[in-house]
Amino acid sequence: MDLKRLRWATRRGMLELDLVLLPFLENVFPSLSDDHKVLFETLLTCEDQELFNWFLKKGNPEDPDMKIIVDIIRANTGLQPDN
């Protein structure tokens, strides 16, 4: 997916998600490995409420690959995972 489409896909129905996803896309995404970039693209297909809960640490994705990208996003947006 090209950057313009990714930018559009980060625009969600919840402002809170926009404030997490767009800065991540602009500031961190370019430095991700290709595998992590694919995980981010897959993450964008998830429901807003799931993303919101994951980013606020009210749960974690069941899929271990999704948990990897959620943890990367948390670590790079001030949403630190619990130790």
Side-chain angles (χ1 to χ4, degrees), residues 1-14:
M1 190 180 293
D2 68 57
L3 196 54
K4 286 181 183 180
R5 288 181 189 211
L6 282 173
R7 187 170 287 115
W8 180 255
T10 62
R11 304 271 327 238
R12 309 304 287 212
M14 298 176 71

Side-chain angles (χ1 to χ4, degrees), residues 37-54:
K37 287 179 179 180
V38 169
L39 288 176
F40 182 73
E41 290 177 29
T42 303
L43 179 86
L44 294 177
T45 66
C46 295
E47 296 292 325
D48 285 359
Q49 194 59 46
E50 281 183 313
L51 295 173
F52 184 74
N53 287 333
W54 295 341

Side-chain angles (χ1 to χ4, degrees), residues 69-81:
I69 193 64
V70 167
D71 287 344
I72 291 170
I73 292 169
R74 287 173 176 165
N76 286 281
T77 57
L79 301 169
Q80 303 297 321

